[in-house]
Amino acid sequence: MFEEQPQQLRQKVQQLATEAIESSQPSAWFEVLYADAGGDASQVPWAKLAPHPYLQDWLSLRQPEGQGHSALVIGCGLGDDAQALCELGFQVTAFDISPTAIAWCKRRFPDSTVNYAIADLLALPPQWQNTFDLVIESRNIQALPLDVRSQAIKSVGSMVAPMGTLLVIARFREQEAPPSGPPWPLSASELAQFSRLGLQEIQRVTFLEPEHPEIQQLRIEYHKR
Ligand SMILES: C[S@@+](CC[C@H](N)C(=O)[O-])C[C@H]1O[C@@H](n2cnc3c(N)ncnc32)[C@H](O)[C@@H]1O
């Protein structure tokens, strides 16, 4: 997520994240980063202005039927994953805690039928519980520190409709010991929380990018019973 950014931007992310965590507001720095970017996506480390390639790969593989189905994109950033699902016919809701990011999505995609909303993963609207046929969680849990991880995972799982699908894209760490971050990769015991929430693991794919073979990235598909 942060590996390709210039040193200066990396330092800024570290500083903003550290300050936010020290003030017990672990998500507060995202709005600062988006606002400071002033519309320049190169100042948003994770923004590639394209759907995440592991999501695109999954969509090609599974060819999910979008018509008549709902989808939710968590921490949607600049909106590319949401737009990709919209193009497949899903009725898409996409949310982010950053008002600037949501305004940016609406500017980029003025004719979009995606319902772009400002919302907090850690304080969700109750009407989203058990609602969405497909939920995309890409790299948001790992952007939150370990002390809110359990709550974040519970929130992610809670929005999947019965018989629905959850797709998680995240870094993985072999050790249970707390990692340094951000990002803070997920451990096996943290991932096990999804199955305790009634989400059955269907497929797990590990990706190792040639430039960073030390970073394990996972794409896990879950189905809710
Ligand atoms: C590392 S970025 C990942 C963006 C996108 N999902 C992707 O994979 O490219 C994390 C995103 O989550 C958003 N975010 C952070 N905390 C959040 C929260 N509590 N609720 C909703 N969104 C949050 C940030 O604003 C940011 O857009």
Side-chain angles (χ1 to χ4, degrees), residues 1 27 30 34 46 75 77 95-97 119-121 138-140:
M1 166 166 70
S27 293
F30 294 95
Y34 282 114
W46 47 86
F95 75 96
D96 202 285
I97 200 160
D120 183 353
L121 177 64
S138 168
R139 306 187 293 176
N140 307 304

Side-chain angles (χ1 to χ4, degrees), residues 63-82:
Q63 309 227 323
E65 177 55 56
Q67 290 298 333
H69 293 104
S70 59
L72 178 77
V73 179
I74 299 170
C76 62
L78 300 189
D80 296 276
D81 292 349

